[in-house]
Amino acid sequence: MSQLEWKNKTAVTEFILLGFGNGPELHSFLFLVCLAIYIVTITGNISIIVLVTANRHFHTPMYFFLGNLSCLEICYSSNILPRMLFSYLDGDRSISVNGCFTQYYFFGCLAAAECYLLAAMSYDRYLAVCRPLHYPLCMNGKLCLQLGAASWISGFLSNSILMFLISNLDFCGPNEIEHFFCDSFPIIKLSCSDIHVAELVTSVVAGICSLPPFLLTFSSYFSIIVIVMRIPSATGRKKAFSTCSSHLIVVILFYWSILTVYVFPHYNTRISLNKVFSVFYTILTPLVNPLIYSLRNKEVKEALQKQ
């Protein structure tokens, strides 16, 4: 990002992130809550990464993707929460234009990468449950590396297009962003340029980054459910569902919130509601990821107890 040239012609030098309200008492409460969430998020995800890396028992495709997801969640949280913590601590809600663009760039890249990574994880579970005999051959180390790399690279490439458009907009009027972080549509709405192309491209790119992974993810789980329901033994069905239930919970939470926010992003009447739903995929998903995988996964719990 240090080599990226922001070409915005603007009289505005900083934005104001309005966040969740005013008042020192509210800010103190939000600071403590956000600090606790950030500490648990970082500690939990780092623990998952260390566990997957150090324990040879977890050198499998499922845990390879889980380690990637934990790394992504650490970056995701660190892009948003520290800035919120400082604003609640000193009361300064301003952020420079370039700083805002930088935050949005990494947020968009990581959000897109998570969509692709969740799709790769669902494909892994589909092969494990629906094609168990072919699983070792199909989901080999090379394919895991390719899917992991493709998820990260696709996320960063896709958002570069939007970043180029947004950084070339003119900002010469209001500078208050009705959000707790820098997101595309709240930023675009402040521009005094013609924003139709930027809004259209943003919607198209968001659709490309979310809908195909969404369809692949849920088609994979639909196939898994069909196969599992055919298992005559109740114990067998429970065991099969346990291999992917944790991932399904994360997927439902992530997609439910992100699709709710971006289905109708242009209506001002939805700003406050969208801000609340944004908490789920920006703050709560990185928090619950390590909790779900550790609390609902017997192997992970046993390995953590031995550490």
Side-chain angles (χ1 to χ4, degrees):
M1 291 298 297
S2 60
Q3 296 179 352
L4 183 62
E5 263 181 63
W6 306 119
K7 299 179 181 179
N8 56 305
K9 304 169 212 165
T10 174
V12 174
T13 59
E14 64 180 20
F15 294 120
I16 305 296
L17 292 169
L18 298 182
F20 291 102
N22 297 314
E25 293 183 357
L26 179 60
H27 282 190
S28 299
F29 171 75
L30 290 175
F31 173 80
L32 293 175
V33 171
C34 290
L35 180 61
I37 290 175
Y38 187 58
I39 292 174
V40 174
T41 299
I42 298 301
T43 303
N45 281 290
I46 288 178
S47 299
I48 294 292
I49 294 173
V50 172
L51 186 66
V52 171
T53 304
N55 195 325
R56 293 184 60 85
H57 179 69
F58 294 108
H59 291 181
T60 63
M62 182 177 75
Y63 291 105
F64 168 78
F65 291 123
L66 175 58
N68 273 267
L69 183 62
S70 293
C71 181
L72 188 148
E73 303 292 28
I74 291 173
C75 298
Y76 211 37
S77 297
S78 299
N79 183 48
I80 294 175
L81 281 175
R83 177 66 191 80
M84 291 179 62
L85 289 172
F86 281 116
S87 67
Y88 291 137
L89 190 61
D90 59 17
D92 184 10
R93 296 179 294 174
S94 64
I95 182 172
S96 68
V97 171
N98 286 354
C100 190
F101 288 165
T102 301
Q103 185 185 60
Y104 163 68
Y105 175 75
F106 283 107
F107 159 74
C109 293
L110 294 168
E114 183 160 359
C115 289
Y116 293 124
L117 189 58
L118 289 174
M121 294 177 72
S122 69
Y123 179 64
D124 170 71
R125 292 300 85 207
Y126 163 78
L127 290 177
V129 175
C130 302
R131 300 288 187 270
L133 297 179
H134 298 87
Y135 180 74
L137 180 62
C138 295
M139 191 56 69
N140 52 46
K142 181 179 179 181
L143 181 58
C144 289
L145 289 174
Q146 289 175 340
L147 290 175
S151 299
W152 287 90
I153 294 172
S154 298
F156 277 80
L157 287 179
S158 61
N159 203 53
S160 297
I161 301 172
L162 300 182
M163 194 65 259
F164 175 79
L165 289 175
I166 293 176
S167 63
N168 278 278
L169 293 174
D170 297 336
F171 296 92
C172 51
N175 68 337
E176 294 184 341
I177 298 178
E178 185 62 50
H179 219 312
F180 60 89
F181 73 100
C182 295
D183 199 3
S184 55
F185 284 110
I187 296 175
I188 291 173
K189 289 183 180 299
L190 296 181
S191 174
C192 51
S193 305
D194 184 354
I195 62 174
H196 291 90
V197 173
E199 288 184 327
L200 177 62
V201 174
T202 299
S203 298
V204 170
V205 172
I208 292 174
C209 292
S210 60
L211 288 179
F214 169 80
L215 295 175
L216 175 61
T217 299
F218 281 91
S219 62
S220 297
Y221 278 110
F222 178 79
S223 300
I224 291 173
I225 292 172
V226 170
I227 293 296
V228 170
M229 293 305 294
R230 294 176 182 173
I231 299 176
S233 168
T235 304
R237 288 196 297 269
K238 182 179 179 180
K239 183 178 180 180
F241 271 124
S242 68
T243 63
C244 56
S245 59
S246 299
H247 179 214
L248 183 58
I249 292 173
V250 176
V251 167
I252 291 174
L253 179 63
F254 179 77
Y255 276 114
W256 169 73
S257 56
I258 204 168
L259 291 177
T260 300
V261 170
Y262 289 101
V263 169
F264 303 108
H266 303 295
Y267 293 101
N268 293 328
T269 56
R270 295 176 57 88
I271 288 178
S272 298
L273 184 61
N274 286 351
K275 187 161 55 173
V276 173
F277 280 118
S278 296
V279 172
F280 285 92
Y281 63 85
T282 58
I283 297 177
L284 294 186
T285 299
L287 171 68
V288 302
N289 172 38
L291 296 178
I292 287 176
Y293 277 101
S294 60
L295 295 178
R296 294 182 59 85
N297 191 306
K298 184 178 179 180
E299 291 179 328
V300 173
K301 284 193 292 185
E302 291 177 351
L304 288 173
Q305 291 172 357
K306 294 177 181 178
Q307 297 299 316

